[in-house]
Amino acid sequence: MGILDRFSLAGRTALVTGGARGIGRSLAEALAEAGANVAVLDVNIALAESTAQDIQKLGVDVLALALDVTDAARVSKVVEQVHAHWGRLDIAINSAGIARRSPSEQIEEAEWDAILDVNLKGVFLCSQAEGRVMLAQGSGSIINVASMSGQIVNRPQQHAHYNASKAGVVQVTRTLAAEWASRGVRVNSISPGHTNTPMTAHASAVDRATWVSNTPMERLGEPADLQGAAIYLASDASSYVTGHDLVVDGGYTLW
Ligand SMILES: NC(=O)c1ccc[n+]([C@@H]2O[C@H](COP(=O)([O-])OP(=O)(O)OC[C@H]3O[C@@H](n4cnc5c(N)ncnc54)[C@H](O)[C@@H]3O)[C@@H](O)[C@H]2O)c1
């Protein structure tokens, strides 16, 4: 098989959590462009449905389903629904995530729990449900969206809970990769740098200037900058890669 064919996802089936907007949407579009049928899963079902309608125009089969990644029973049910719809699940991208800012001395327990629930427990619950399906079929690729904040302390924003949750995502990814490697299921993560999405849209001009000046490429990322990494990790082009955290940050973590 030629190298470009090994990047093709024609006939594969995929799901993307947090797929309604931002990075998740961009990765769902990329999967569809590469030929995969895609389920867009999001807590915001109205937006997931409108995103799904747009992606369907790329000529693949698309589903939109409501999912709160912190709800274990719902996670199992929705992953089973996707599996039942297409008869298999080849690719799962777990992108749902939230961010809050607070100096550590002011973080309240409820805020800590909310961030860890969505960003870390949610990734584990989704990976677990997706992994069960993929282990039974003997193949699959799971891609968790972590962050460069799992490796470095981002600035000027202060968010210990977010940083901790993303470091956790990287280590959960490595752990699942080791456990499932011999059974055909690969688990990797992508760690974006500062990326222009609705999550970062509220950032002040000062914050943005700080981020740009700390980035060797002197610009913020765009969601499309992450598409190549996702297609690589989803496809047979990365068939010997597991437990890897692929940083896509314009060089931010070099300094
Ligand atoms: N934007 C950045 O600079 C950046 C950088 C590094 C990592 N990330 C990570 O990338 C991922 C996507 O971020 P984004 O910038 O696209 O954010 P975003 O806010 O634009 O999109 C996040 C999506 O996740 C959904 N979501 C939130 N909570 C959910 C839940 N409990 N269950 C299901 N869906 C839920 C939202 O409805 C939304 O559609 C996140 O995990 C984020 O931490 C973002």
Side-chain angles (χ1 to χ4, degrees):
M1 190 187 282
I3 182 60
L4 291 181
D5 294 327
R6 294 175 66 199
F7 281 90
S8 170
L9 301 179
R12 306 279 170 97
T13 64
L15 67 79
V16 182
T17 76
R21 73 180 200 190
I23 290 168
R25 177 186 166 122
S26 178
L27 301 186
E29 287 169 351
L31 293 171
E33 266 190 59
N37 297 320
V38 185
V40 177
L41 314 181
D42 205 285
V43 74
N44 184 341
I45 185 59
L47 195 56
E49 280 169 354
S50 110
T51 296
Q53 277 173 12
D54 291 343
I55 294 176
Q56 205 144 24
K57 293 177 192 149
L58 295 167
V60 295
D61 197 13
V62 183
L63 280 180
L65 295 168
L67 175 66
D68 179 344
V69 297
T70 67
D71 178 343
R74 181 76 189 149
V75 167
S76 288
K77 193 171 170 194
V78 167
V79 171
E80 263 315 315
Q81 242 177 299
V82 174
H83 179 222
H85 185 76
W86 286 307
R88 46 185 305 111
L89 178 64
D90 301 301
I91 301 152
I93 299 183
N94 298 314
S95 186
I98 56 172
R100 301 272 182 281
R101 295 177 179 206
S102 301
S104 288
E105 67 274 23
Q106 288 171 20
I107 292 177
E108 292 184 356
E109 186 180 357
E111 184 177 302
W112 176 274
D113 288 347
I115 298 289
L116 271 289
D117 268 7
V118 176
N119 293 5
L120 183 53
K121 186 177 91 169
V123 163
F124 178 75
L125 291 176
C126 290
S127 299
Q128 183 184 51
E130 297 149 2
R132 285 174 177 150
V133 170
M134 292 174 178
L135 289 167
Q137 75 191 8
S139 68
S141 172
I142 296 173
I143 301 162
N144 294 321
V145 179
S147 169
M148 65 176 181
S149 300
Q151 295 189 17
I152 49 109
V153 178
N154 240 321
R155 56 187 175 168
Q157 66 273 36
Q158 294 177 319
H159 45 34
H161 37 24
Y162 183 84
N163 294 349
S165 72
K166 294 301 185 177
V169 169
V170 171
Q171 190 63 347
V172 162
T173 298
R174 290 165 53 82
T175 305
L176 299 181
E179 286 190 29
W180 297 343
S182 64
R183 292 190 278 164
V185 179
R186 298 186 297 111
V187 191
N188 293 286
S189 55
I190 295 176
S191 279
H194 293 297
T195 307
N196 276 317
T197 69
M199 180 184 273
T200 50
H202 58 82
S204 69
V206 172
D207 285 1
R208 286 175 177 279
T210 306
W211 295 345
V212 170
S213 70
N214 281 305
T215 305
M217 285 192 185
E218 297 178 343
R219 68 170 177 88
L220 300 188
E222 297 300 329
D225 289 320
L226 299 158
Q227 291 180 329
I231 299 307
Y232 168 65
L233 292 174
S235 70
D236 295 344
S238 62
S239 56
Y240 198 50
V241 178
T242 198
H244 183 62
D245 181 45
L246 182 38
V247 178
V248 182
D249 67 352
Y252 190 105
T253 49
L254 297 174
W255 284 346

